[in-house]
Amino acid sequence: MKKTSLLLLITLLCLSVVLAACGKNSNTGNKGNTGNEGTANNAEKGNDAPKPVKLSILAWNNEKEMKPVIDGFKEKYPHISFDFQFAPPVKDYIAKLQTMLLSNTAPDIFIIAAENRNEIIDGGYALDLTDEPFMSVMLDSNKPMLSKDGRTYAFTQSGWAGGLFYNKQLFQKAGITKLPETWDEFIQDCLKLKEAGIIPLYDRMHDITIIHSAMFGSNVLTKDPTFDEKLFKGEATFAEGWTEVLTMWKEGLIDNKILTPDMIGLTGDQVMNEFSLGNVAMFPGGPWNIATIEKTNPDIEFEIMPIPGKEPGNKYYNGAPGVGFAVNSKTKNKEEALLFLEYMTTQEGLKQFEEGTGGIITAHGYESKVHPAYAPAYNDGLMAGKIYLPMVSWDRHQEALRNQFLVSIQDIAVNKITPEQATASLDKKLKEMENK
Amino acid sequence: MVKYVRQLQFLLFLLPILAIYSLFTIYPLIKSFFLSFTNFDGYTEAYDFIGLKNYVRIFSDDAITSAISYTLFFTFGKALLVTLLAIPLAMILDQKFLTRNIHRAIFFFPSIPSGLLLAYIWGFILAPIGSGVLNSVLSELFNIGPQPWLSAPLLAKLSTIVVATWAITGWHAVLYLAFLQSIPKDYYEAASIDGANRLQQIRFITFPLLAPAMTVSVMLLLTGGLKVFEIPFALTKGGPGYETYSITQVIVLRGISETQYGLASAMSIVFFLIVLAIAIFQVTVMQRREQGIQ
């Protein structure tokens, strides 16, 4: 019997260790919160020597990229330190934030992206920043992505535009002297390159590509800028807006074998590498590619160009506002979190953010320096508002529609379905998601 | 009474692990079952019961029907290839030769790194453009133009099976090797005295005695194959279209990317039942075969 009681004791010990481990988490969590509460109260009282506060932040820029702006802030407010967390964009970041929000462990400051803005804003997870004075720095064209019913929930200081990078030397070799003004001219140029023995274009067809987005801009939005609004009110369909775009894309690029289905298997790095090495004349890319292209091949002469529409003069880039920084609505350090956001809107903060992340600043009163190869996209696209990204413009179900779109364009590329079938499947998907 | 107390002791020892198992396995499973009847989106705690609507939606979902057919093709294709390759490989590795241990290690190695990593490396080898490793070798040696290894529907399916087979064959060969070594050498001696040649020995001694190993290996291959995610995902991202979408990828897509947790839960419950049914069927059939042989 003695043996039994010993065994019983051991089992109980095991169990208590397990239970203690479970309990510990919640204890430390509470402790942390109460600690923060205390310091926040002190700060509110305006004590001369503010007690140290630890701001937690989850970003998809890594620590190295965020270091300049965080260091600048810490210099100004030495009593505030950071618990910095990073998750790589996009899926990992969204999944991590989602878990944290649902388990009430979300950080004081986090990022809202096009992919999760509805869930965050509708769930009431982000503080309404509309009336904060520092929000005046934000461009109006950057606001819709981070707003709902006229209220803005995050601050973004950046934006990006993507287009087609082209190799000037290869264009010359093929006898192309000026950039295409219409879609037909663009296709003619591609065929000229092909005749000269040059691969005209690589595209991975891995997403709603830069080409598709810009084509939609130059063909549909130039006629009706409110198309997406109507689409989500049920007054328009994908078939009405996208069938022509996808037909032009298929007839121009797929049927002429300028894009071939084997490109589906390429990776982004492979495409960029082939362009840098001069093996292909064009590839769709954005500002993030420039440094690597120059590093791989310092002698390359290249520039970015828009995608022209059917009619001359209608040119668009693909692009969107950068992700926005939001304050957790349940934060215990509201004042400090807002201080950090305010710091990011100052000239100093904007400069440090630009330096650290290499992003392009699109804020009132700040002039961003861009690479000469990127100047057309910056001037004629980003600052002129000639950019379009479906995931930002679509009101709901972005991810579901995006996946359906991706599958559809690959099916078109391998000649499994027609553009009409593709847009019908998008309309079906939207209907299904609305009724789920 | 003493017997009862002894049994109680064993049960007590099981308690901690039972608690952990319940917390991390049973509870999520039940919760998943519960959520499969709701429209939970993964963000808001408020959700409604929608009955069997999710289960009905599964079967009208193009992605899932395509994923089920690909996953079954992948699973049985891989299981067949691995079994065909692993048994002869194990027999070779069972021979006595100088570099035997090094060879065992070499063949076992591909099963160590994660599938994701292996598939990314294979992505470079199978790159569809002319500068892809395999394509440049083929064009140098046989003057064959670039092949769309990862973007033509059938080739992409076959490529994923080949990479998965390459990765896991060595592991299963080691499993067979362990069983091979447990076969008493006397059987072979007796057989050779009776005049049986090498092929007859393999057919009448090695093969029947490997039956238990085959049951285990095939079961692992089937359940592992049905749960496949990394290799097709890293190689093709599921493309072109839905051609190489695995069932698990659709569940992740619908659940996490599209925030339809209810639907994804219903999918995983159906998936769980499919795996369970196939595994039970396979083990029963193969155990019966074992008994038949012995």
Side-chain angles (χ1 to χ4, degrees), chain A residues 164 171 176 179-193 201 211 253 258 282 305-308:
Chain A
L164 281 180
F171 264 46
I176 302 166
L179 291 181
E181 280 297 313
T182 63
W183 179 254
D184 285 339
E185 281 177 35
F186 171 68
I187 299 297
Q188 291 312 315
D189 286 346
C190 290
L191 293 173
K192 264 189 211 169
L193 284 161
L201 173 66
I211 298 179
L253 295 174
I258 295 163
M282 288 179 277
M305 71 177 200
I307 307 283

Side-chain angles (χ1 to χ4, degrees), chain A residues 44-282:
Chain A
E44 272 161 29
K45 279 175 203 158
N47 280 358
D48 289 328
K51 273 202 175 166
V53 174
K54 198 163 208 178
L55 269 184
S56 53
I57 178 167
L58 175 69
W60 76 12
N61 290 109
N62 61 37
E63 202 159 4
K64 195 179 145 208
E65 291 173 335
M66 290 293 285
K67 197 174 183 299
V69 71
I70 285 181
D71 282 353
F73 179 73
K74 278 202 279 200
E75 215 168 90
K76 223 169 166 187
Y77 302 97
H79 67 288
I80 301 175
S81 60
F82 284 88
D83 169 17
F84 188 88
Q85 292 188 65
F86 160 74
V90 176
K91 273 201 174 115
D92 286 352
Y93 176 84
I94 286 176
K96 181 167 181 178
L97 178 63
Q98 186 180 7
T99 320
M100 291 173 107
L101 287 172
L102 271 181
S103 56
N104 267 328
T105 53
D108 301 320
I109 297 168
F110 53 79
I111 274 173
I112 299 185
E115 288 84 354
N116 64 356
R117 65 190 158 119
N118 286 333
E119 287 82 2
I120 303 265
I121 296 173
D122 293 345
Y125 294 116
L127 214 60
D128 182 355
L129 301 177
T130 320
D131 302 325
E132 296 295 334
F134 61 76
M135 290 298 275
S136 61
V137 177
M138 191 165 153
L139 283 195
D140 283 341
S141 60
N142 276 349
K143 282 181 182 166
M145 181 182 103
L146 302 162
S147 302
K148 187 125 204 176
D149 302 328
R151 311 298 294 172
T152 309
Y153 295 86
F155 166 76
T156 180
Q157 66 281 69
S158 61
W160 60 271
L164 281 180
F165 281 110
Y166 67 100
N167 183 322
K168 289 181 176 174
Q169 290 126 315
L170 291 180
F171 264 46
Q172 248 173 13
K173 211 170 137 191
I176 302 166
T177 45
K178 72 180 208 6
L179 291 181
E181 280 297 313
T182 63
W183 179 254
D184 285 339
E185 281 177 35
F186 171 68
I187 299 297
Q188 291 312 315
D189 286 346
C190 290
L191 293 173
K192 264 189 211 169
L193 284 161
K194 233 177 141 181
E195 267 168 43
I198 301 163
I199 302 171
L201 173 66
Y202 269 152
D203 193 358
R204 303 159 52 200
M205 293 175 261
H206 65 291
D207 209 325
I208 304 179
T209 62
I210 287 180
I211 298 179
H212 291 116
S213 306
M215 276 180 86
F216 183 81
S218 53
N219 289 298
V220 181
L221 292 182
T222 44
K223 284 183 218 143
D224 181 6
T226 58
F227 183 86
D228 281 340
E229 246 170 73
K230 287 182 188 154
L231 180 65
F232 284 87
K233 276 186 197 155
E235 295 162 6
T237 60
F238 277 100
E240 287 162 24
W242 281 91
T243 307
E244 195 194 6
V245 172
L246 289 179
T247 310
M248 279 165 68
W249 178 76
K250 181 186 179 285
E251 286 174 355
L253 295 174
I254 302 287
D255 293 352
N256 283 318
K257 296 205 164 49
I258 295 163
L259 289 182
T260 45
D262 56 1
M263 293 177 195
I264 295 171
L266 288 170
T267 66
D269 287 343
Q270 283 167 345
V271 172
M272 188 173 57
N273 237 357
E274 293 290 308
F275 176 80
S276 312
L277 297 172
N279 294 339
V280 58
M282 288 179 277

Side-chain angles (χ1 to χ4, degrees), chain A residues 7-8 11 91 98 102 119 125 202 261-262 270 274 399-400 403-404 407 410-411 416 429 432-433 435, chain B residues 9 12-13 16 42-43 53 57 127-129 131 148 151 239-243 253-254 257-261:
Chain A
L7 284 173
L8 199 76
T11 315
K91 273 201 174 115
Q98 186 180 7
L102 271 181
E119 287 82 2
Y125 294 116
Y202 269 152
D262 56 1
Q270 283 167 345
E274 293 290 308
E399 278 302 292
N403 285 319
Q404 187 60 48
V407 167
Q410 292 190 346
D411 280 344
K416 201 174 151 190
K429 186 84 198 176
E432 190 187 304
M433 295 299 289
N435 298 328
Chain B
Q9 286 175 14
L12 278 175
F13 268 108
Y43 273 92
K53 213 170 151 191
R57 277 185 64 199
I129 45 175
S131 59
S151 38
Y242 284 129
E243 297 290 345
L253 175 81
R254 296 284 183 255
S257 313
E258 298 180 0
T259 63
Q260 306 188 67
Y261 267 78

Side-chain angles (χ1 to χ4, degrees), chain A residues 2-16, chain B residues 12:
Chain A
K2 236 183 185 176
K3 233 181 190 174
T4 322
S5 42
L6 187 69
L7 284 173
L8 199 76
L9 190 74
I10 293 171
T11 315
L12 278 175
L13 267 173
C14 285
L15 260 180
S16 59
Chain B
L12 278 175

